[in-house]
Amino acid sequence: MNNFRLLKKFCCLVLLFIMFVACFQGLVACGKDDYIKKTAKKLSTYNIEAGYDDVTKIVSAVLTCEYKNDNEAVLEQLKFHLYPNAYRENAKNKLVSSNLITYAYKNGYSYGHIEVKSVKVNGDAVAYEISGTDNDILIAPLSTQLYPDEKVSVEIEFETKLANIWHRLGYGDNTVNLNNWYPILCYYDKTEGWLTDPYYSVGDPFVSGIANYNVNLSVNSNLIVACGADLTDKQVNESTTRYCFSAVAVRDFSIIMSSAFLTDTVKGGNTTITYYYFNDQNHLNTLNIALDALNYFNNSFGTYPYDTLSVVQSDFYQGGMEYPRLVMVSAGQQESSYKKATVHEIAHQWWYALVGNDQVRNAWMDEGLTEFSTMLFFENHDYGIDAVNDIKTAKTSLNNFLDITRNYYKNIDTSINRSVNSYRNETEYAYMCYVKAMIMFDDIRVIMGNVKFVKALKDYFNNNKLCLAVPANLIQSFSKAYGSNMESLFDTYLTGKEKTI
Ligand SMILES: [Zn+2]
């Protein structure tokens, strides 16, 4: 063997090593969102062709739902929520709690609705039914029974009229908010069947499964469009622009538009964050908070698998609102509230968008955990928010609320494992599902210690992403990380028997 041969052999080994490293890195890179792509193949798909008229404030659209029966049940009909009908005049379910009316209807009362024009099943027109307490459920009869894993195509032509309201759906002075704007499938529960909860004024009264979306939207070209999806194409035709969006494995589809939007963009991990704003002197600081939050939650809970996240300053009557890959942050808040709302809504990307839950019956699961995740973030980042003191203040404030309420009502239900419509009012809901649930997670962290607590959250995320988790899933992850059954501890808080508060 001579030196040349040795050198040749060495070069071959180096080359093999480089190839191995490249392959390994490739595998890791492919693996990052493999579960999204894998899951997407099994899902139902919504294809929507829509146009928005900024003068009449009407969205005209044709939606085709390529539905796959992923239940064990045989189905004879599909049910869809018609959430825009909650915005009608004289709707039976209150859209806005009494104490928030002036924040929502800033320009006086205004109403919207959705009109279904036709429904076709596998290409044939069918006699559909509109039901629900507020005409908020669409029932599409199927011509033949749909067995598990079988598919059916349902086409719905509809028009959604927006109200002038600072709400999830509606237009304000600065933004047009297109949320819960199209017929979306009701969630099919194994034991309950279709969940047809109406639009409650309290909480985020939505339960939805994961689906794929292809949405084409034509709008006046002066509008800048923020969306929880990838922009796949953009065609400018004289005064209108047609945007083509695509999102796989998401729980809902959100769009916010404004002619006044300015944008800043930054990349964190595998995700590009775009901040859309119309009035933020500290916009770079807001973008930085969003970036830090994304990185922190990526490391703490698990990697955010989507390519984009839109953070959108919006005309909205509360602090903010979460949708998959898009969060609304309300304009006009105090600086500290704005920072907290930004982080809170981003935390919801993990506890709602990725790990879903029944937000009507188990609101504490996303709101409590999101509120505590927000505190965790500010404990570890210096943005002028004293998280330790905020938790102390929250305990005092909760106790004051309970004292006052007990004096007034003589009794108070401090359980948090109940439906959003069972709370007496918005304040009680906020104290139970946000404040008390956050305190519960803080108490549990003290018992478990930081390391085990974060381990529990990672496990919970990993085992329940893209699913609809139930309390048992969460308790199981905490028990596993703690090394002992934590069910009775959780139970005391959930059922209102705790003595620690
Ligand atoms: Zn929230």
Side-chain angles (χ1 to χ4, degrees):
M1 190 183 284
N2 61 26
N3 283 350
F4 176 71
R5 271 180 139 185
L6 264 177
L7 186 67
K8 202 171 155 191
K9 199 172 179 183
F10 176 74
C11 285
C12 282
L13 281 171
V14 169
L15 193 66
L16 273 171
F17 178 73
I18 290 169
M19 281 168 71
F20 170 76
V21 170
C23 281
F24 181 73
Q25 282 179 338
L27 279 174
V28 171
C30 285
K32 81 173 169 60
D33 57 358
D34 255 0
Y35 71 93
I36 293 282
K37 287 180 191 158
K38 231 177 180 176
T39 308
K41 285 180 192 161
K42 303 177 199 159
L43 299 175
S44 301
T45 297
Y46 293 84
N47 298 305
I48 305 178
E49 185 69 45
Y52 171 66
D53 184 330
D54 202 28
V55 176
T56 60
K57 312 293 182 191
I58 289 176
V59 182
S60 307
V62 176
L63 173 157
T64 308
C65 178
E66 304 293 345
Y67 179 74
K68 184 183 174 194
N69 184 4
D70 57 358
N71 308 291
E72 287 168 10
V74 178
L75 303 176
E76 295 184 343
Q77 51 188 210
L78 297 189
K79 293 191 179 182
F80 295 81
H81 290 283
L82 300 176
Y83 287 127
N85 273 347
Y87 292 72
R88 294 175 315 154
E89 189 171 11
N90 301 322
K92 291 189 183 90
N93 289 290
K94 268 205 295 184
L95 177 68
V96 180
S97 297
S98 320
N99 57 325
L100 297 172
I101 281 174
T102 50
Y103 297 94
Y105 295 101
K106 291 195 179 190
N107 295 333
Y109 286 105
S110 172
Y111 305 99
H113 64 267
I114 182 168
E115 185 188 345
V116 174
K117 295 184 166 280
S118 69
V119 178
K120 290 179 184 169
V121 173
N122 287 335
D124 297 326
V126 294
Y128 61 91
E129 192 186 327
I130 307 281
S131 73
T133 46
D134 269 321
N135 291 348
D136 50 1
I137 300 294
L138 165 68
I139 303 174
L142 304 178
S143 43
T144 55
Q145 290 183 320
L146 193 71
Y147 282 81
D149 290 328
E150 285 187 343
K151 293 178 182 172
V152 67
S153 174
V154 178
E155 182 193 288
I156 304 167
E157 187 185 352
F158 67 95
E159 271 187 9
T160 296
K161 169 99 170 78
L162 308 191
N164 181 202
I165 185 171
W166 273 241
H167 214 307
R168 299 179 181 100
L169 176 66
Y171 65 94
D173 290 347
N174 301 287
T175 63
V176 177
N177 305 339
L178 275 192
N179 298 309
N180 315 107
W181 56 281
Y182 59 92
I184 186 170
L185 280 161
C186 298
Y187 186 78
Y188 193 89
D189 182 78
K190 257 191 272 180
T191 47
E192 302 287 322
W194 297 105
L195 300 182
T196 56
D197 300 292
Y199 202 118
Y200 297 116
S201 59
V202 171
D204 303 333
F206 314 116
V207 192
S208 55
I210 299 275
N212 303 322
Y213 286 83
N214 298 305
V215 177
N216 301 331
L217 176 72
S218 298
V219 294
N220 198 304
S221 295
N222 72 326
L223 288 172
I224 293 153
V225 181
C227 189
D230 301 315
L231 179 66
T232 55
D233 196 15
K234 184 178 167 183
Q235 300 144 10
V236 182
N237 311 306
E238 295 181 2
S239 61
T240 61
T241 300
R242 182 171 176 264
Y243 295 88
C244 301
F245 293 110
S246 168
V248 296
V250 290
R251 222 167 273 288
D252 206 337
F253 197 91
S254 167
I255 298 167
I256 310 280
M257 301 178 277
S258 174
S259 57
F261 274 150
L262 300 168
T263 59
D264 291 325
T265 297
V266 70
K267 189 151 186 184
N270 302 307
T271 306
T272 300
I273 303 174
T274 303
Y275 178 39
Y276 296 81
Y277 59 96
F278 50 85
N279 181 18
D280 186 355
Q281 301 293 323
N282 302 316
H283 54 97
L284 290 178
N285 196 43
T286 306
L287 185 72
N288 216 37
I289 291 175
L291 174 65
D292 280 350
L294 180 84
N295 287 335
Y296 180 69
F297 297 141
N298 268 342
N299 290 330
S300 304
F301 311 144
T303 306
Y304 191 65
Y306 302 116
D307 290 340
T308 65
L309 171 65
S310 299
V311 177
V312 189
Q313 191 176 51
S314 313
D315 290 333
F316 186 55
Y317 77 127
Q318 297 202 356
M321 180 66 201
E322 69 280 11
Y323 285 94
R325 303 178 60 174
L326 184 150
V327 300
M328 300 164 74
V329 186
S330 310
Q333 302 184 67
Q334 284 185 345
E335 198 185 333
S336 62
S337 305
Y338 198 85
K339 288 176 188 172
K340 284 183 191 172
T342 303
V343 176
H344 177 102
E345 305 310 338
I346 291 175
H348 267 306
Q349 292 302 306
W350 280 261
W351 318 128
Y352 150 73
L354 285 158
V355 178
N357 60 284
D358 182 330
Q359 297 185 108
V360 173
R361 290 154 197 82
N362 293 311
W364 66 271
M365 288 180 72
D366 58 306
E367 291 304 350
L369 197 45
T370 293
E371 198 65 352
F372 187 69
S373 302
T374 307
M375 288 301 143
L376 273 180
F377 171 82
F378 285 113
E379 263 182 26
N380 289 282
H381 295 82
D382 187 11
Y383 279 107
I385 308 279
D386 186 346
V388 176
N389 190 51
D390 276 5
I391 292 176
K392 267 189 211 158
T393 310
K395 286 186 183 177
T396 312
S397 174
L398 175 61
N399 281 322
N400 289 343
F401 166 76
L402 294 177
D403 286 345
I404 293 165
T405 312
R406 272 191 205 104
N407 282 339
Y408 190 77
Y409 291 111
K410 304 299 171 212
N411 66 61
I412 180 164
D413 181 356
T414 59
S415 67
I416 55 176
N417 57 352
R418 53 186 157 131
S419 175
V420 289
N421 61 321
S422 72
Y423 293 93
R424 281 194 178 107
N425 49 47
E426 189 93 24
T427 311
E428 185 181 283
Y429 161 75
Y431 268 111
M432 293 300 120
C433 288
Y434 287 64
V435 180
K436 184 186 154 180
M438 176 190 74
I439 292 167
M440 173 184 78
F441 283 111
D442 188 51
D443 288 350
I444 287 170
R445 178 176 61 155
V446 171
I447 293 166
M448 295 176 79
N450 257 326
V451 175
K452 286 184 178 177
F453 186 87
V454 171
K455 197 174 164 193
L457 291 182
K458 276 188 202 289
D459 186 77
Y460 176 55
F461 174 77
N462 206 34
N463 289 321
N464 297 284
K465 58 196 178 196
L466 302 187
C467 300
L468 217 62
V470 295
N473 299 126
L474 186 142
I475 296 166
Q476 189 183 31
S477 290
F478 276 82
S479 300
K480 204 162 101 187
Y482 188 44
S484 176
N485 193 335
M486 300 192 88
E487 195 178 342
S488 61
L489 177 64
F490 270 97
D491 198 52
T492 56
Y493 288 91
L494 301 184
T495 58
K497 289 181 286 196
E498 77 289 326
K499 296 279 178 277
T500 50
I501 295 170

